[in-house]
Amino acid sequence: MNNPIFTDLIPGASHWSLVVPAGHSLTLTDLEGGANVSMLFYNPQNLLERYNAPDSLKCQHTFKLTTGNCLYSDMGRIFCSIVRDDTQWIDTVGGVANKNKVAAKWGARDYQTDRNAWLQNGYDSLLVEVAKYGLGKRDLAANLNLFSKTFTDDEGNLAFAEGHSKAGDTIELRFEMDTLVVFTTCPHPMNPAVEYPNRPVEVSLSKAAPLSADDSCLNHRPENARGFENNQRYLAMPNVCSH
């Protein structure tokens, strides 16, 4: 990672957002182990364009996301590329917990009574953050869960991998177009922890190296080259996709 433009500590059970310019990387680090970051992407110039989970999975022939994968918009463009993933598996199907689920798992608390010790849920946390941009419930698409892993067991049931992310594990996203990034550090809805897991994450923004013709994300799947070409046409950038 290049020298960061800024670094910030995001506490557990919090929400945050920023517009990441094209050509920059957002690096997230699990400081204690067991973190979860539920994340969504939008085009800040056209908020109707947002992250599309089904297209990101099917065009790359995968159920999980990790290093080498790209994250697509619903316009066939690439918001960002995963250039580092120490966990080797980013959950794409778990979603976020709502208020009732959190209350059932860890008890009911509210901010008026418990202040910062209350138990925030991912759904409301994302709603609060997207509201800053005039968005609402209908704008919450299927999200990513960084630092978390869900998988199918031998019977075909969806299961949660405990202890998946370790202290110091890092995920770096390189942004290929200007992107509004919205996320929450609330726990994964399938986390079986007895106590509400309140895990902080460090985030850093830095300048990324220019995209090259031999880039591993560009060449991970033939479909990715077409996604980068869509970006090139949209942004009127030099074409690095031809060989």
Side-chain angles (χ1 to χ4, degrees):
M1 182 179 69
N2 295 329
N3 292 330
I5 297 170
F6 74 85
T7 299
D8 204 354
L9 175 67
I10 310 301
S14 301
H15 47 85
W16 200 60
S17 62
L18 78 165
V19 174
V20 180
H24 289 72
S25 288
L26 189 66
T27 302
L28 301 97
T29 301
D30 182 352
L31 296 177
E32 299 178 359
N36 180 71
V37 175
S38 301
M39 184 173 284
L40 290 169
F41 308 108
Y42 303 85
N43 181 345
Q45 278 77 49
N46 176 15
L47 292 171
L48 292 175
E49 181 179 3
R50 65 276 313 265
Y51 172 64
N52 188 303
D55 284 356
S56 296
L57 298 182
K58 70 183 181 183
C59 76
Q60 296 176 95
H61 301 194
T62 186
F63 173 74
K64 67 173 182 178
L65 294 170
T66 189
T67 306
N69 289 129
C70 298
L71 306 178
Y72 282 78
S73 82
D74 52 12
M75 297 296 289
R77 294 187 273 264
I78 295 173
F79 279 128
C80 62
S81 305
I82 305 172
V83 297
R84 176 180 175 182
D85 174 23
D86 293 348
T87 72
Q88 301 181 45
W89 189 302
I90 295 171
D91 170 46
T92 62
V93 299
V96 291
N98 59 23
K99 178 179 179 180
N100 292 337
K101 191 171 186 68
V102 167
K105 288 173 70 73
W106 294 299
R109 295 187 192 175
D110 59 63
Y111 182 76
Q112 287 72 21
T113 303
D114 300 286
R115 297 304 183 191
N116 289 336
W118 76 306
L119 307 182
Q120 175 64 293
N121 67 86
Y123 180 76
D124 288 338
S125 192
L126 287 175
L127 272 182
V128 170
E129 198 62 33
V130 300
K132 299 176 182 179
Y133 306 92
L135 303 175
K137 293 180 179 180
R138 67 179 183 178
D139 301 299
L140 294 186
N143 62 279
L144 297 170
N145 285 308
L146 283 66
F147 302 112
S148 293
K149 175 181 178 179
T150 56
F151 63 99
T152 53
D153 61 21
D154 292 339
E155 286 72 43
N157 301 305
L158 192 63
F160 179 82
E162 296 185 65
H164 173 59
S165 180
K166 308 298 189 294
D169 278 354
T170 293
I171 298 173
E172 181 180 351
L173 306 176
R174 182 190 66 209
F175 283 81
E176 317 300 351
M177 58 186 286
D178 292 352
T179 303
L180 170 60
V181 181
V182 178
F183 69 84
T184 173
T185 53
C186 290
H188 191 282
M190 294 177 64
N191 192 323
V194 175
E195 299 292 332
Y196 182 92
N198 201 322
R199 301 289 187 267
V201 173
E202 181 184 86
V203 297
S204 295
L205 182 71
S206 60
K207 187 72 175 177
L211 182 70
S212 61
D214 62 351
D215 183 79
S216 59
C217 298
L218 168 64
N219 296 292
H220 183 73
R221 293 289 310 170
E223 292 83 355
N224 287 1
R226 291 194 286 271
F228 275 101
E229 184 175 351
N230 288 340
N231 280 39
Q232 179 261 326
R233 294 181 179 187
Y234 177 63
L235 300 170
M237 296 171 60
N239 188 358
V240 300
C241 303
S242 58
H243 299 279

